[in-house]
Amino acid sequence: MINRKLVKFLSFRYVILALLFIILAGGLVLLPKFEKQEGIKPEQLLSNIISPERYITTDELADRIINQDPSLLLIDLRDEETFKKYSLPNAINMPLKNLFDEDSSAFLNQDAYDVVFFSNDNFDADQAWILCNRLDYKNLYVLKGGINRWFKTIINPPHPKENMPLEAFKLYATRKAASMYFGVAYPDQVKTNVPKRPRPTPKKVITVKKKKKAPEGGC
Amino acid sequence: MKELEKIKRISIVSILFILAVLIGLLTYKRPKNTYAINTEKTLEKITNNHFFITLENINTPDYVLIDVRSQNEFEKGHLEHAINIHTPEILNNSAFFKELKKSNKIAILYGENPQQVNIPFLFLYQLGYDNIKLLTVKNSYSQNKLITKTCDIEKLEADISAFINESVKNSKIKVTPKKTIQPPKKIITVQKKKKKAPEGGC
């Protein structure tokens, strides 16, 4: 009697097992909701975004542009219209809303260049940086203060007052020189603009007469 | 006899399998904080939605003011009825934000300037709290008093190319257009994984 029931039950054993596995597999579908999270962990992101390491000052940037740093890649996040009016030399226009277009990811997700984001101030640039940082893109920077500070410090540097320390004057001189590089002209520039080139003095050539030695010897 | 052996083996394997799955389920640690939207959607939302609010419009009972500056700054002076949540502590207060969202209240973040608030704002936004707005004010102190001023965001303050042209005109120097050396175009090669040469063959 028992044996027969057992046999009947056992004839379904594979079906039962299969069903059990399918149910378990269904449970696995629900799990990865958390694993599918895009990018780095929120805790990590928070600690990244509150650190000011991403900022680069206008002076540093000017220095790198003037020295023609080949690893520098400037990205202008403003719209096309403002980009055409004025932008930093050799910058690439990439409006914020196009940040994740297909073409842009080649610029952002790489490790060959130091990418500097900038906008009018650093509001949009920060947003772009935060989103890219979540995707774990490396070598990204933000121009602190953006174009507005660029204008205030590099293009039109404030003249230091007389009671300011020497450093302020030195900084002003550097910034002024930088602004000249970026196309600003000053009324008192005339002399500095045309450096006198020393005339090349003809080279004196002193010829040394070689004494010919009479062949010695012989018999 | 052979049949019995087979059944035994199958049942042992299946029990082990079920056990492994159960252990996996039980020890699975649910991450504490999770993003609610991905980066592309966030970008789309922040570029389309209007999340700024000005100082004049904040006197509604549905609004809760949140000060993201440090506690020290907060104690020096803050807006009326504001709550202090410093940016690094935001994750410890996620219960508070959840409650706000449940009760349909809108959190208004402010700080020293909009740039500073931008960071916690975008962070919370990605965690799914879309009931937050950003107060466009600048806070500074004058004679021990907090002074709050409305300010603009992403507004170009000067026309730079006009300024440069003006300066060139004023200086009366004939500036010959400089031939700037164009650096070579930047070409970024995306590294493709090399396809493995087909193996095998004899």
Side-chain angles (χ1 to χ4, degrees):
Chain A
M1 239 346 230
I2 302 163
N3 224 2
R4 205 182 283 168
K5 262 190 185 174
L6 194 69
V7 168
K8 214 180 176 186
F9 175 74
L10 281 180
S11 66
F12 285 113
R13 63 193 184 270
Y14 292 118
V15 181
I16 292 166
L17 263 182
L19 276 178
L20 199 64
F21 285 136
I22 287 169
I23 290 166
L24 282 173
L28 287 176
V29 170
L30 297 176
L31 273 183
K33 192 183 159 196
F34 305 116
E35 294 297 324
K36 259 190 225 154
Q37 289 276 312
E38 183 192 30
I40 57 174
K41 281 184 181 165
E43 293 84 0
Q44 181 64 42
L45 181 69
L46 183 65
S47 74
N48 284 349
I49 59 182
I50 56 179
S51 102
E53 268 171 43
R54 64 174 172 277
Y55 292 120
I56 175 170
T57 63
T58 47
D59 288 305
E60 277 167 15
L61 184 68
D63 188 50
R64 290 184 73 168
I65 293 176
I66 291 170
N67 288 327
Q68 301 194 338
D69 191 334
S71 66
L72 194 67
L73 184 70
L74 297 166
I75 291 187
D76 192 334
L77 293 166
R78 305 170 302 165
D79 50 19
E80 221 179 315
E81 204 180 318
T82 36
F83 172 74
K84 275 182 185 160
K85 268 187 192 162
Y86 179 82
S87 190
L88 301 183
N90 300 318
I92 297 167
N93 186 218
M94 191 189 288
L96 182 62
K97 52 176 183 265
N98 300 348
L99 188 70
F100 290 130
D101 283 5
E102 269 177 42
D103 315 339
S104 349
S105 70
F107 291 115
L108 304 175
N109 193 9
Q110 42 78 35
D111 47 13
Y113 294 103
D114 287 343
V115 176
V116 178
F117 287 135
F118 66 93
S119 50
N120 282 337
D121 52 44
N122 53 22
F123 193 85
D124 281 357
D126 266 342
Q127 290 190 331
W129 190 91
I130 292 171
L131 291 175
C132 287
N133 188 271
R134 180 174 154 192
L135 296 175
D136 213 11
Y137 293 169
K138 303 279 187 248
N139 296 333
L140 301 180
Y141 299 91
V142 169
L143 177 64
K144 179 101 187 158
I147 287 288
N148 283 336
R149 190 169 295 175
W150 175 262
F151 175 73
K152 273 184 227 155
T153 55
I154 304 294
I155 300 296
N156 188 16
H159 204 287
K161 284 171 195 155
E162 278 174 15
N163 57 359
M164 279 182 162
L166 185 63
E167 282 80 31
F169 282 89
K170 275 185 186 163
L171 183 66
Y172 176 70
T174 329
R175 285 175 169 178
K176 199 172 155 185
S179 73
M180 285 180 201
Y181 178 87
F182 293 112
V184 184
Y186 291 87
D188 57 349
Q189 195 185 352
V190 191
K191 279 175 193 167
T192 56
N193 201 20
V194 192
K196 271 186 194 166
R197 255 193 209 167
R199 252 191 206 173
T201 46
K203 267 186 189 170
K204 279 178 189 170
V205 183
I206 301 168
T207 46
V208 183
K209 275 180 189 170
K210 274 183 187 168
K211 277 180 191 171
K212 263 186 188 173
K213 271 185 186 172
E216 277 174 46
C219 30
Chain B
M1 198 59 203
K2 223 180 175 185
E3 180 73 7
L4 209 68
E5 193 88 327
K6 206 174 157 192
I7 289 170
K8 234 187 201 172
R9 235 185 271 159
I10 287 176
S11 56
I12 288 170
V13 167
S14 56
I15 284 169
L16 279 178
F17 182 82
I18 291 164
L19 264 178
V21 170
L22 279 180
I23 289 169
L25 270 175
L26 291 176
T27 56
Y28 183 76
K29 219 177 162 188
R30 190 173 181 273
K32 210 176 164 195
N33 299 294
T34 50
Y35 299 114
I37 44 177
N38 66 6
T39 45
E40 266 171 58
K41 261 196 190 148
T42 317
L43 186 70
E44 202 186 301
K45 278 189 176 178
I46 56 170
T47 45
N48 293 330
N49 287 10
H50 202 71
F51 49 82
F52 299 126
I53 190 163
T54 49
L55 200 55
E56 297 91 53
N57 304 328
I58 57 167
N59 289 323
T60 319
D62 277 350
Y63 291 163
V64 179
L65 278 171
I66 293 170
D67 194 323
V68 298
R69 298 173 304 162
S70 63
Q71 201 188 346
N72 207 354
E73 292 280 323
F74 181 76
E75 276 162 10
K76 276 190 210 163
H78 57 85
L79 295 182
E80 238 180 302
H81 310 299
I83 302 164
N84 183 220
I85 297 177
H86 194 198
T87 309
E89 324 248 287
I90 245 169
L91 278 178
N92 305 338
N93 289 300
S94 48
F96 173 73
F97 286 105
K98 256 177 214 160
E99 211 167 276
L100 279 185
K101 197 178 177 184
K102 250 188 205 167
S103 53
N104 277 330
K105 283 193 173 172
I106 290 176
I108 295 178
L109 305 183
Y110 79 91
E112 225 166 276
N113 48 39
Q115 282 76 28
Q116 189 198 31
V117 195
N118 190 12
I119 291 155
F121 170 78
L122 194 56
F123 182 69
L124 284 171
Y125 210 83
Q126 293 183 72
L127 291 183
Y129 304 108
D130 44 12
N131 57 330
I132 47 177
K133 280 185 191 282
L134 201 156
L135 191 61
T136 56
V137 290
K138 239 179 194 169
N139 283 316
S140 55
Y141 296 100
S142 164
Q143 294 178 345
N144 263 333
K145 256 190 166 179
L146 184 80
I147 290 177
T148 313
K149 271 185 197 163
T150 315
C151 67
D152 298 309
I153 292 169
E154 288 294 329
K155 190 186 159 203
L156 194 58
E157 284 169 8
D159 190 347
I160 298 178
S161 51
F163 175 83
I164 291 175
N165 291 337
E166 187 77 4
S167 79
V168 171
K169 238 191 237 168
N170 288 345
S171 65
K172 292 174 190 164
I173 306 168
K174 271 193 181 175
V175 177
T176 45
K178 247 198 265 171
K179 270 184 193 169
T180 45
I181 307 155
Q182 286 283 333
K185 250 198 176 175
K186 280 167 186 167
I187 298 163
I188 294 171
T189 46
V190 181
Q191 279 187 355
K192 274 181 190 166
K193 275 182 191 166
K194 270 187 190 170
K195 268 187 189 168
K196 272 185 191 169
E199 276 172 49
C202 28

